[in-house]
């Protein structure tokens, strides 16, 4: 089964795909969708096109997206929310079920503590996915989201059902 993790962002949207076979995980691919265009609509469209291509190329069976936290900059939070909408829309259009996780839940699942630093996340992702070449911090976060989702699927018993649907 392939799990897609998405770290939403308006400028850079990280993505990472892992293969899960029971308790074993392996890296499939990762990267960063970089928005292009002069206005918000064009940037969102470019993210949609790029993420659609990722799904078409790698055919994930499940997806997970990091939840948005509200910060002091309301306009920035709103724009991040719009990018997050693209991150949820594209897998939904492909018929893929989507999990959602708070940033602290992802950090706790991957690092063991909810307030881990970026470098700690990247280090633990590399330990869990030996040999992975990470495209950047946003891709590392996306792989962490995919790992978190795979743990959730395993613990909830839905992994076996999803594997059966995927023909594994």
């Amino acid at each position: 089964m392939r799990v897609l993790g998405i770290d939403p962002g308006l400028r850079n949207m990280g993505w990472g795909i892992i293969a899960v076979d029971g308790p074993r995980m392996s890296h499939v691919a990762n990267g960063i969708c970089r928005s292009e265009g002069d206005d918000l609509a064009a940037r969102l469209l470019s993210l949609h096109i790029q993420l659609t291509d990722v799904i078409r190329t790698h055919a994930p069976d499940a997806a997970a997206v990091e939840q948005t936290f509200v910060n002091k900059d309301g306009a920035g939070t709103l724009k991040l929310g719009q990018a997050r909408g693209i991150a949820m829309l594209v897998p939904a259009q492909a018929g893929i079920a989507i999990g959602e996780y708070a940033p602290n839940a992802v950090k706790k699942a991957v690092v063991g503590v909810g307030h881990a630093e970026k470098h700690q996340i990247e280090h633990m992702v590399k330990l869990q996915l030996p040999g992975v070449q990470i495209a950047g911090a946003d891709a590392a976060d996306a792989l962490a989201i995919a790992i978190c989702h795979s743990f959730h699927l395993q613990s909830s018993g839905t992994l076996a059902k999803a594997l059966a649907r995927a023909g594994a």
Side-chain angles (χ1 to χ4, degrees), residues 100-132:
E100 299 178 69
Y101 299 94
N104 287 351
V106 173
K107 292 173 184 176
K108 185 160 181 109
V110 176
V111 179
V113 293
H115 295 287
E117 300 290 329
K118 289 263 190 199
H119 72 276
Q120 292 173 302
I121 295 167
E122 185 170 334
H123 176 73
M124 291 305 292
V125 166
K126 286 180 178 179
L127 283 177
Q128 294 182 45
L129 303 172
V132 65

Side-chain angles (χ1 to χ4, degrees), residues 8 15 19 21 26 44 76 80 83 108 115 118 133 152 157 162 167:
W15 60 271
D21 184 11
S26 60
L44 291 172
L80 177 59
K108 185 160 181 109
H115 295 287
K118 289 263 190 199
Q133 297 295 314
H152 175 76

Side-chain angles (χ1 to χ4, degrees), residues 37-78:
D38 295 328
D39 62 12
L40 179 60
R43 293 171 72 189
L44 291 172
L45 177 60
S46 74
L47 291 173
H48 184 279
I49 291 167
Q50 292 173 65
L51 192 56
T52 299
D53 187 50
V54 168
I55 288 177
R56 188 178 303 115
T57 300
H58 298 288
D61 303 295
V65 177
E66 190 171 72
Q67 292 175 338
T68 302
F69 60 92
V70 177
N71 57 34
K72 295 177 186 175
D73 177 17
T77 301
L78 182 59

Side-chain angles (χ1 to χ4, degrees), residues 11 32 40 50 53 63 79 93 95 109 153-154 159 162:
R11 285 192 179 96
I32 300 171
L40 179 60
Q50 292 173 65
D53 187 50
K79 288 178 183 176
Q93 286 178 317
L153 292 172
Q154 289 173 355
L159 178 63

